[in-house]
Amino acid sequence: MGLRITTWNVNGIKNPLQYQPWRDKRTFAAMFDILEADILVFQETKIQRKDLQDDMVLVPGWDCYWSLPRHKKGYSGVVIYTRQSVCAPIRAEEGISGILCPPNSSTSFCDLPEELQIGGYPLRNQLEDLNIDLATLDSEGRCVILEFPAFVLIGTYCPANRDETRDDFRLGFLDLLDARVRNLVAMGKRVFLTGDLNISKEALDTANAEASMRKNGVTAEEYWSTPARRFLNHLLEDGTVIGSRDEGREKPVLWDICRGFHPTRKGMFTCWEQKVNARPANFGARIDYVLCSLDMKEWFFDSNIQEGLMGSDHCPVYATLKDKIVLDGKETYVQDLMNPKGMFYNGARGREHSARDLLPMSGKLIPEFDRRQNIRDMFTRKPSTVKSQSTAETTNELMTVESKSAIDNRPLKRAKNSLTVTPTSNAVGKGQQSLKGFFKTKSIPIEDNERGPPSSPSVASDGGRMLQPAAEISEGGNAGIAKGRGPVATPTKPSGSRTSRPTTPQKTPPAKLPSTDTKDTPSPFQVHDPIVSKESWSKLFTKPAAPRCEGHDEPCISLLTKKSGINCGRSFWMCPRPLGPTGAKEKNTQWRCGTFIWCSDWNSG
């Protein structure tokens, strides 16, 4: 199998690990193996440098090159992983303009010595129409560039068309990307451009074109002539440019690899709107691409999307190189062109990848990870070579003697002090309760009528002293006493008590049974039922029952309005089913019906 390059907008670097088929192992190495890729370009990593972890940087057998946002948290970000057994770049850069600096350097990439540059940096005349400075355009972590002897790989995440406030940034980034690609091709270098471009090139690449035209009130010509689509169609060989071509973009320079292998395929979408659950009906758009220079068209034997792999609102897209390619009229192994000179020769490895092959941009050279290994490997390290038999026997003998000596000389274990209870004039304290005591419902024993009136928790003895019943002692911290560690003091009526002498009768109020009425004043004998309490709290915080949709009689789902206007922030109920392939609400079908209810109306009704 040839070398495979895969691009994927993961919508968060850890997001795919929550889905099958990689949720079981939850490692990047396992995910890479399932993708069967040798070069992986991830977009929207949504991570900062301080949040990088061992398992995403120190992946065994892989190198990585990061571009992270300078200011915004949880935003953008691009990383390229390369399999060290197959390929190794000879140069690496961050950013599209060349204005950024390598790690531990104050010199911009475009100002480095020529032998250290990738080249193709935008010229002065190509920057005249930019309304944003280059440092700002490269501050959001949107591009990583690697150079191999075979070609220059550009992994990018282009800005999306969110609102008009970002138009200058978006168009400025696209102009810069166009200039860099064309300059590299003009230098005689081959280019492989891949990533999330956030552009649908033609009507075949989107399911929402007609609806969007009607919504915005534009014609097809105006729709396909927007600056972003015009940029992409100028760049590609099969692009449709309406009107005359722009100055400086007279010729196309790239080929759409995936569309080239599937020229008439419909529904070949790579992105779906999650908020409306549009993926099941395949109501999406193709905005993720694998593109290459025109002189590389014969280098590939396969390209496709992997729409069945979950883990993001995008799906992976790949292109696979042939094992052998024709270069300058000579058949050459692709491994010879994807590694530094001498590492491969005629498809066979000449030397192993080592630390000296790491580039300054490598993630393994980030100070936090330099000269370290993945913590997982520390617990899976193979045991060292088994010692010789004589050494092992000697070691066993020494261990036997030492263990025997240790047994003979070990101190005797001190026995626990036995607890005894002696009757005193003081009251017997209850002590600290065990943890189970806090959750156990206490019951008050009630004697039968034949045995006389019920006794109170405390029993009065001679002299007015109060003795604690044995039942309470067994429940408290001195429970061990009642269980056999010592005698238990229990109140008994002694024989020959002074109370047997005739005395003046005293009126004593009859003992009362503990009240179970929760409305009375709380007493220490009241029973607290946790089940009743839980049910009361549950009723208080339980959401009202959801209405059922009209078309399918299924419980509706609640969403929040985020569109600016008077209803922004209001919640509403709608049909739970996914949006249909037409993108509209349908009747008497398996797709979403037209049920719509404001939550405020449902709750008040």
Side-chain angles (χ1 to χ4, degrees), residues 10-16 28 42 44-45 47 56 66 79 81:
V10 292
N11 195 22
I13 187 67
K14 289 187 175 182
N15 194 42
F28 285 86
F42 286 165
E44 275 202 278
T45 56
I47 196 169
M56 63 182 67
W66 298 81
V79 60
Y81 288 92

Side-chain angles (χ1 to χ4, degrees), residues 557-574:
I557 58 173
S558 176
L559 297 177
L560 187 69
T561 305
K562 294 186 178 180
K563 185 178 180 180
S564 58
I566 59 174
N567 291 322
C568 183
R570 293 187 66 184
S571 299
F572 60 91
W573 297 101
M574 64 183 300

Side-chain angles (χ1 to χ4, degrees), residues 349-421:
R349 179 171 287 278
R351 64 177 179 85
E352 294 296 328
H353 189 280
S354 63
R356 64 175 180 169
D357 296 308
L358 297 177
L359 301 176
M361 272 279 297
S362 171
K364 293 188 174 181
L365 295 182
I366 297 176
E368 300 92 297
F369 304 97
D370 189 15
R371 303 179 187 277
R372 290 186 53 228
Q373 63 175 346
N374 192 329
I375 193 170
R376 293 175 184 269
D377 299 337
M378 299 171 63
F379 296 97
T380 57
R381 190 186 306 169
K382 295 181 180 180
S384 57
T385 308
V386 182
K387 297 181 180 181
S388 61
Q389 184 176 0
S390 59
T391 307
E393 292 176 355
T394 305
T395 304
N396 291 336
E397 292 176 1
L398 291 174
M399 290 177 63
T400 303
V401 174
E402 290 177 359
S403 60
K404 183 177 180 181
S405 176
I407 294 173
D408 295 339
N409 297 330
R410 67 182 179 181
L412 295 175
K413 188 175 181 180
R414 186 177 62 182
K416 294 184 178 179
N417 295 331
S418 59
L419 298 177
T420 58
V421 176

